[in-house]
């Protein structure tokens, strides 16, 4: 069970939070001043700290600074009143994970706590040094206690060693020190956010916030609130004031992924903010000055979207001060096994395993496959294969169906008039009494997978478009992609 320390000078708050979080399977300890809170943190090594900003003996800033100096990976949630919101945002810039305003709402607290702990675990796994260095063929050296050697990485992104990778990071090094807005083009899963993060890390804003927003995962009704924030009571359901992504990123960098999915109305408001460097929260009257570098990403050409009337052309020209192309994984085959080896090493640490590399058959499968999901797909495939592997090497039996049978499926797709679907053909080919022949359920799953993959390829992995074409909602599509490791 995860451990939480609550620090608040109000005994009622401590009692209520302890009772609520304990019922949700957390171990909770409380303290009513900063000194006792720090002592408690030292003694039990919590997975998360919740603290009121205003304590009797020390300030929230002092408490946060002390926690981060001793336990930098522990997420800290700031509890604050409405009048302290500006102060809370400043504290977040010093390293707090998030803030929660009073009055406290249980559902919001639980979601924020779970997300903070999950993000901290993910970050810790990514930051851990690797078990062994990956060679260019993806195999690792025997595991050693030391974890120093690793492939070239930046911000958790494996850089690669090919000419394609070198050219990519030359562009990053060129634009990072400037304040240029940047458009990053690349297919889904190719690492656009990691490139944006690296631009930020190499800039003069590196000590200020980097805030990312996936515009394709937010409805148009919520997009304005997420970007600009809102005041309490500004619309139905606005139970408390919300700080938007622009305000959170002030002084730093705001990354907008799949920016072309923003509605026309939001684009108009965004253009005004970009031009004037000022904004108002929804329902608010106060102008807020902004100093934010904007990096946007898209898997479709924004100029084409502008010409088609989907994206404002004036907004495109505001963003288009510098452009970076992130190559697809199928165009980085010289780096593929280096990436695979790096992902294997991090997965070994995460799962506590000691898989040392890949069989020759698996290497050939990897090099022959098209990787439509790019680095994200490769990482997920290796995590699954590592979990399923009992020996020192990952074998073909641990790989997904579509990778092992890629050439065969591709040949079937290339036939002008196939007598049956690729999945059905495999069923017929195995209808010879073989005990390993697929079941009807397997064939149905393969057919469903083929349909989803075909539509995703047709729309260049734009999930919103794919969901519309498949006549399902986006959540269902995400669940299917998770089920099939896409």
């Amino acid at each position: 069970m995860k451990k939480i320390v609550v620090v608040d000078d109000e005994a009622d708050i401590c009692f209520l939070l302890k009772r609520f979080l304990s019922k949700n399977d957390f171990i909770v300890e409380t303290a009513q001043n900063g000194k006792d809170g720090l002592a408690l943190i030292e003694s039990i090594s919590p997975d998360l700290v919740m603290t009121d900003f205003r304590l009797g003996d020390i300030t929230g800033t002092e408490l946060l600074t002390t926690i981060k100096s001793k336990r930098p990976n522990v997420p800290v949630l700031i509890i604050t009143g409405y009048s302290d919101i500006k102060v809370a945002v400043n504290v977040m810039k010093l390293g707090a994970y998030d803030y929660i305003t009073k009055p406290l709402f249980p559902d919001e607290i639980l979601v924020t706590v779970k997300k903070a702990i999950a993000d901290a675990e993910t970050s810790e796994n990514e930051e851990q040094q690797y078990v062994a260095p990956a060679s260019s063929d993806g195999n690792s050296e025997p595991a050693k206690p030391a974890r120093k050697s690793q492939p070239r990485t930046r911000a958790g992104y494996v850089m690669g060693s090919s000419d394609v990778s070198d050219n990519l990071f030359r562009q990053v090094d060129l634009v990072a020190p400037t304040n240029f807005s940047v458009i990053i083009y690349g297919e889904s899963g190719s690492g656009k956010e990691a490139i944006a993060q690296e631009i930020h890390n190499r800039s003069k804003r590196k000590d200020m916030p980097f805030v990312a927003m996936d515009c394709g995962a937010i409805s148009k009704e919520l997009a304005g609130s997420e970007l600009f924030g809102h005041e309490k009571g500004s619309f139905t359901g606005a139970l408390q004031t919300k700080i938007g992504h622009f305000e959170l990123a002030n002084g730093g960098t705001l990354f907008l992924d799949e920016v072309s999915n923003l509605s026309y109305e939001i684009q108009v408001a965004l253009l005004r903010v970009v031009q004037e460097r000022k904004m108002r929260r929804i329902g608010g009257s106060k102008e807020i000055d902004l100093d934010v570098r904007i990096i946007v990403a898209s898997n479709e050409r924004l100029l084409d979207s502008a010409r088609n009337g989907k994206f404002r052309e004036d907004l495109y020209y505001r963003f288009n001060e510098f452009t970076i192309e992130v190559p697809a994984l199928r165009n980085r085959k010289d780096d593929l096994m280096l990436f695979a080896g790096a992902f294997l090493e991090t997965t070994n640490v995460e799962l506590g395993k000691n898989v040392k590399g890949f069989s020759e058959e698996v290497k050939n499968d990897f090099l022959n496959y098209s990787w439509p999901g790019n680095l994200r797909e490769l990482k997920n495939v290796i995590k699954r294969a590592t979990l399923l592997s009992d020996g020192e090497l990952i074998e073909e039996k641990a790989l997904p169906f579509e990778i092992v049978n890629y050439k065969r499926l591709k040949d079937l797709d290339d036939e002008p008039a196939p007598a049956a679907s690729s999945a059905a053909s495999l069923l017929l080919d195995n209808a010879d009494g073989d005990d390993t022949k697929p079941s009807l359920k397997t064939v149905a799953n393969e057919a469903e997978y083929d349909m989803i993959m075909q539509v995703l390829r047709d729309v260049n992995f734009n999930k919103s478009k794919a969901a519309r074409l498949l006549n399902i909602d986006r959540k269902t599509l995400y669940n299917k992609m998770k089920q099939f490791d896409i």
Side-chain angles (χ1 to χ4, degrees):
M1 295 172 67
K2 300 299 183 182
K3 294 176 288 187
I4 297 174
V5 167
V6 176
V7 186
D8 198 301
D9 55 2
E10 295 184 38
D12 289 346
I13 295 290
C14 290
F15 174 77
L16 291 172
L17 285 174
K18 181 172 183 176
R19 187 173 69 172
F20 172 69
L21 292 171
S22 297
K23 288 181 178 179
N24 286 276
D25 299 325
F26 293 100
I27 298 172
V28 183
E29 299 292 342
T30 64
Q32 290 182 243
N33 59 63
K35 181 180 179 181
D36 291 345
L38 289 171
L40 196 55
I41 291 167
E42 282 297 309
S43 65
I44 73 169
S45 300
D47 298 285
L48 179 137
V49 175
M50 298 178 67
T51 177
D52 193 359
F53 179 74
R54 298 186 181 277
L55 299 170
D57 52 347
I58 61 176
T59 67
T61 301
E62 292 170 332
L63 182 62
L64 175 64
T65 302
T66 304
I67 294 172
K68 286 298 177 181
S69 66
K70 295 182 177 180
R71 300 182 181 275
N73 294 325
V74 174
V76 179
L77 299 180
I78 300 294
I79 303 171
T80 179
Y82 171 78
S83 60
D84 292 329
I85 288 179
K86 184 175 180 180
V87 177
V89 172
N90 291 331
V91 173
M92 285 184 64
K93 293 177 180 180
L94 296 176
Y97 178 83
D98 204 347
Y99 68 92
I100 302 172
T101 57
K102 298 176 182 177
L104 304 177
F105 295 94
D107 290 343
E108 178 191 359
I109 291 172
L110 187 59
V111 169
T112 306
V113 164
K114 288 183 175 179
K115 187 174 186 300
I117 292 175
D119 287 352
E121 289 178 339
T122 301
S123 177
E124 185 176 353
N125 287 333
E126 289 177 350
E127 290 174 1
Q128 282 181 343
Q129 300 295 337
Y130 298 107
V131 173
S135 61
S136 60
D137 65 358
N139 289 343
S140 303
E141 299 296 328
K144 299 176 182 178
R147 294 180 177 177
K148 295 292 185 181
S149 183
Q150 58 182 3
R152 291 194 305 164
T153 62
R154 290 182 172 185
Y157 185 91
V158 183
M159 292 171 58
S161 57
S162 67
D163 291 342
V164 173
S165 294
D166 287 343
N167 180 60
L168 171 63
F169 281 94
R170 275 196 297 269
Q171 295 180 64
V172 170
D173 289 335
L174 179 65
V175 75
T178 73
N179 275 321
F180 284 10
S181 296
V182 181
I183 301 176
I184 302 176
Y185 289 115
E187 295 180 5
S188 177
S190 57
K192 298 187 292 295
E193 183 174 343
I195 295 298
Q197 176 79 65
E198 181 56 27
I199 293 173
H200 172 76
N201 291 343
R202 302 283 291 178
S203 74
K204 298 175 183 177
R205 300 172 181 264
K206 62 182 179 181
D207 295 324
M208 301 303 287
F210 174 86
V211 179
M213 173 175 165
D214 185 353
C215 303
I218 300 174
S219 67
K220 64 180 181 180
E221 292 80 11
L222 293 177
S225 176
E226 290 295 320
L227 279 170
F228 311 119
H230 63 252
E231 297 290 352
K232 181 179 180 180
S234 57
F235 54 85
T236 303
L239 301 178
Q240 57 185 319
T241 296
K242 177 182 176 62
I243 305 298
H245 285 65
F246 265 106
E247 213 169 332
L248 290 174
N250 210 357
T253 302
L254 177 62
F255 173 63
L256 302 176
D257 198 7
E258 295 192 35
V259 68
S260 62
N261 285 313
L262 291 175
S263 67
Y264 185 85
E265 293 79 7
I266 297 299
Q267 290 179 36
V268 172
L270 184 58
L271 177 63
R272 177 181 177 277
V273 172
V274 172
Q275 288 176 331
E276 300 180 9
R277 297 292 168 174
K278 294 181 179 181
M279 57 152 274
R280 293 191 187 99
R281 296 179 196 150
I282 295 174
S285 58
K286 180 183 177 182
E287 291 273 4
I288 300 172
D289 292 328
L290 294 175
D291 175 23
V292 179
R293 182 182 194 173
I294 300 176
I295 301 176
V296 303
S298 177
N299 54 21
E300 55 187 70
R301 295 287 161 178
L302 294 182
L303 184 57
D304 291 342
S305 297
R307 289 168 176 167
N308 293 332
K310 182 182 175 184
F311 196 78
R312 287 186 63 97
E313 191 167 355
D314 46 5
L315 186 58
Y316 162 74
Y317 287 119
R318 285 283 181 178
F319 289 152
N320 192 40
E321 293 182 320
F322 196 86
T323 301
I324 290 179
E325 302 272 353
V326 181
L329 184 55
R330 62 180 171 274
N331 297 326
R332 307 176 72 178
K333 291 295 178 73
D334 289 345
D335 291 323
L336 194 151
M337 293 313 301
L338 181 66
F339 295 145
F343 290 145
L344 174 60
E345 291 162 358
T346 55
T347 302
N348 273 330
V349 173
E350 181 179 343
L351 300 180
K353 303 197 74 168
N354 191 24
V355 180
K356 295 179 180 178
F358 308 90
S359 70
E360 291 302 318
E361 293 80 9
V362 169
K363 292 177 188 177
N364 289 331
D365 289 336
F366 279 4
L367 292 171
N368 289 328
Y369 185 55
S370 63
W371 298 106
N374 293 291
L375 288 171
R376 185 183 297 125
E377 182 183 13
L378 175 63
K379 183 177 182 178
N380 289 338
V381 165
I382 289 173
K383 288 179 74 172
R384 169 186 166 180
T386 304
L387 181 64
L388 295 174
S389 296
D390 297 323
E392 290 189 347
L393 298 178
I394 289 177
E395 304 288 349
E396 268 193 332
K397 64 182 180 181
L399 298 185
F401 172 90
E402 69 274 7
I403 294 180
V404 177
N405 295 281
Y406 177 71
K407 277 192 171 183
R408 187 176 184 185
L409 290 172
K410 189 173 184 298
D411 291 341
L412 287 169
D413 288 340
D414 290 340
E415 291 179 5
S421 70
S422 57
S425 299
L426 289 170
L427 179 61
L428 292 172
D429 289 346
N430 284 283
D432 56 2
D434 188 347
D435 290 338
T436 63
K437 66 184 180 182
S439 66
L440 181 60
K441 182 178 180 180
T442 301
V443 172
N445 285 337
E446 299 301 346
E448 187 175 14
Y449 170 85
D450 289 345
M451 173 63 75
I452 292 173
M453 285 300 301
Q454 183 60 53
V455 172
L456 284 170
R457 290 191 187 103
D458 290 344
V459 298
N460 201 20
F461 275 77
N462 185 308
K463 292 179 279 294
S464 298
K465 288 183 179 178
R468 287 195 297 269
L469 290 173
L470 291 166
N471 197 27
I472 58 178
D473 58 48
R474 192 186 300 156
K475 183 177 180 181
T476 300
L477 177 59
Y478 284 146
N479 289 337
K480 290 293 184 183
M481 293 176 70
K482 183 177 180 181
Q483 174 187 341
F484 295 126
D485 283 331
I486 296 176

